[in-house]
Coordinates of all heavy atoms in Angstrom, one line a residue:
D155 N 124.1 89.2 254.8 CA 125.4 89.1 255.4 C 126.1 87.8 255.0 O 125.7 86.7 255.3 CB 125.2 89.0 256.9 CG 126.4 89.7 257.7 OD1 127.4 90.0 257.0 OD2 126.3 89.9 258.9
I156 N 127.2 88.0 254.2 CA 127.9 86.8 253.7 C 129.0 86.4 254.7 O 129.3 85.2 255.0 CB 128.6 87.1 252.4 CG1 127.6 87.6 251.3 CG2 129.4 85.9 251.8 CD1 128.2 88.1 250.0
S157 N 129.6 87.4 255.4 CA 130.7 87.1 256.3 C 130.2 86.2 257.5 O 129.2 86.5 258.2 CB 131.1 88.5 256.9 OG 132.1 88.2 257.9
G158 N 130.9 85.1 257.6 CA 130.6 84.1 258.7 C 129.5 83.2 258.4 O 129.2 82.3 259.1
A159 N 128.7 83.5 257.3 CA 127.6 82.6 257.0 C 128.0 81.3 256.5 O 129.1 81.2 255.8 CB 126.7 83.3 255.9
H160 N 127.2 80.3 256.7 CA 127.4 79.0 256.0 C 126.7 79.0 254.7 O 125.5 79.0 254.6 CB 126.9 77.8 256.9 CG 127.2 76.5 256.3 ND1 126.5 75.3 256.5 CD2 128.2 76.1 255.5 CE1 127.0 74.3 255.9 NE2 128.1 74.7 255.2
V161 N 127.5 79.0 253.6 CA 127.0 79.0 252.3 C 127.2 77.6 251.7 O 128.3 77.0 251.7 CB 127.8 80.0 251.3 CG1 127.3 79.9 249.9 CG2 127.7 81.4 251.8
V162 N 126.0 77.0 251.3 CA 126.1 75.7 250.6 C 125.8 75.9 249.2 O 124.8 76.5 248.8 CB 125.1 74.7 251.3 CG1 125.2 73.4 250.5 CG2 125.5 74.5 252.8
I163 N 126.8 75.4 248.3 CA 126.6 75.5 246.9 C 126.3 74.1 246.3 O 127.1 73.2 246.6 CB 127.9 76.1 246.2 CG1 128.2 77.5 246.8 CG2 127.8 76.2 244.7 CD1 129.6 78.0 246.4
L174 N 132.5 80.2 242.4 CA 131.7 80.8 243.4 C 132.2 80.5 244.8 O 132.3 81.4 245.7 CB 130.2 80.4 243.2 CG 129.2 81.1 244.2 CD1 129.2 82.6 244.0 CD2 127.8 80.5 243.9
A175 N 132.6 79.2 245.0 CA 133.1 78.8 246.3 C 134.4 79.6 246.6 O 134.5 80.1 247.7 CB 133.4 77.3 246.2
L176 N 135.3 79.8 245.6 CA 136.5 80.5 245.8 C 136.2 82.0 246.1 O 136.8 82.6 247.0 CB 137.4 80.5 244.5 CG 138.0 79.1 244.3 CD1 138.6 79.1 242.8 CD2 139.2 78.9 245.3
L177 N 135.2 82.6 245.4 CA 134.9 84.0 245.6 C 134.4 84.2 247.0 O 134.7 85.2 247.7 CB 133.9 84.4 244.5 CG 133.6 85.8 244.3 CD1 134.8 86.6 243.9 CD2 132.5 86.0 243.2
L178 N 133.4 83.4 247.4 CA 132.7 83.7 248.7 C 133.6 83.3 249.9 O 133.3 83.8 251.0 CB 131.4 83.0 248.8 CG 130.4 83.4 247.7 CD1 129.1 82.6 247.9 CD2 130.1 84.9 247.7
M179 N 134.7 82.6 249.7 CA 135.5 82.3 250.8 C 136.7 83.2 250.9 O 137.5 83.2 251.9 CB 136.0 80.8 250.8 CG 137.1 80.5 249.8 SD 137.9 78.9 250.1 CE 136.8 77.9 249.2
Q180 N 136.8 84.1 250.0 CA 137.9 85.1 250.0 C 137.8 86.0 251.3 O 136.7 86.2 251.8 CB 137.9 86.0 248.8 CG 138.6 85.4 247.6 CD 138.5 86.3 246.4 OE1 137.8 87.3 246.4 NE2 139.1 85.9 245.3
K181 N 139.0 86.5 251.7 CA 139.0 87.4 252.8 C 138.4 88.7 252.4 O 138.7 89.2 251.3 CB 140.4 87.6 253.3 CG 140.8 86.9 254.5 CD 142.2 87.3 254.9 CE 142.9 86.3 255.9 NZ 142.4 86.5 257.3
G184 N 132.3 90.9 250.8 CA 131.7 90.0 249.9 C 132.2 88.6 250.0 O 131.8 87.7 249.3
G185 N 133.1 88.3 251.0 CA 133.6 87.0 251.2 C 133.5 86.6 252.7 O 132.4 86.9 253.3
D186 N 134.5 85.9 253.2 CA 134.5 85.4 254.6 C 133.4 84.4 254.9 O 133.0 84.3 256.1 CB 134.4 86.6 255.5 CG 135.7 87.5 255.5 OD1 136.8 86.9 255.3 OD2 135.6 88.7 255.8
A187 N 132.9 83.8 253.9 CA 131.8 82.8 254.2 C 132.5 81.4 254.5 O 133.7 81.2 254.2 CB 131.0 82.6 253.0
T188 N 131.8 80.6 255.2 CA 132.1 79.2 255.4 C 131.4 78.4 254.3 O 130.2 78.4 254.2 CB 131.7 78.7 256.8 OG1 132.2 79.6 257.8 CG2 132.1 77.2 257.0
V189 N 132.2 77.9 253.3 CA 131.6 77.3 252.1 C 131.6 75.8 252.1 O 132.7 75.2 252.4 CB 132.3 77.9 250.9 CG1 131.7 77.3 249.6 CG2 132.3 79.4 250.8
T190 N 130.5 75.2 251.8 CA 130.4 73.8 251.5 C 129.9 73.6 250.1 O 129.0 74.3 249.7 CB 129.5 73.1 252.5 OG1 129.9 73.4 253.8 CG2 129.4 71.6 252.3
V191 N 130.6 72.7 249.3 CA 130.1 72.4 248.0 C 129.6 71.0 247.9 O 130.3 70.1 248.3 CB 131.3 72.6 246.9 CG1 130.8 72.3 245.5 CG2 131.8 74.1 247.0
I202 N 123.0 68.5 254.7 CA 124.0 69.6 254.5 C 123.2 70.8 254.0 O 123.5 71.9 254.5 CB 125.1 69.1 253.4 CG1 125.8 67.9 254.0 CG2 126.0 70.3 253.2 CD1 126.7 67.2 253.0
S205 N 121.6 72.9 256.5 CA 122.4 73.7 257.5 C 122.9 75.0 256.9 O 123.6 75.7 257.5 CB 123.6 72.8 257.9 OG 124.5 72.7 256.9
A206 N 122.4 75.3 255.7 CA 122.9 76.5 255.0 C 122.1 77.7 255.5 O 120.9 77.7 255.6 CB 122.6 76.3 253.5
D207 N 122.9 78.8 255.7 CA 122.3 80.1 255.9 C 122.0 80.7 254.5 O 121.0 81.3 254.3 CB 123.3 81.1 256.5 CG 123.7 80.6 257.9 OD1 122.8 80.3 258.7 OD2 124.9 80.5 258.2
I208 N 122.9 80.4 253.5 CA 122.6 80.8 252.1 C 122.8 79.5 251.3 O 123.9 78.9 251.3 CB 123.7 81.9 251.7 CG1 123.6 83.1 252.6 CG2 123.5 82.3 250.2 CD1 124.7 84.1 252.4
L209 N 121.8 79.2 250.5 CA 121.8 78.0 249.7 C 121.8 78.4 248.2 O 120.9 79.2 247.8 CB 120.6 77.1 250.0 CG 120.5 75.8 249.2 CD1 121.7 74.9 249.3 CD2 119.2 75.0 249.6
I210 N 122.8 78.0 247.5 CA 122.9 78.4 246.1 C 122.8 77.2 245.2 O 123.7 76.3 245.3 CB 124.2 79.2 245.8 CG1 124.3 80.4 246.8 CG2 124.3 79.7 244.4 CD1 125.6 81.2 246.8

Side-chain angles (χ1 to χ4, degrees):
D155 213 354
I156 303 172
S157 176
H160 184 207
V161 176
V162 176
I163 301 171
L174 183 60
L176 287 165
L177 192 61
L178 298 182
M179 75 167 85
Q180 276 177 356
K181 259 182 193 286
D186 291 331
T188 305
V189 180
T190 304
V191 179
I202 298 168
S205 72
D207 301 309
I208 302 172
L209 177 61
I210 305 175

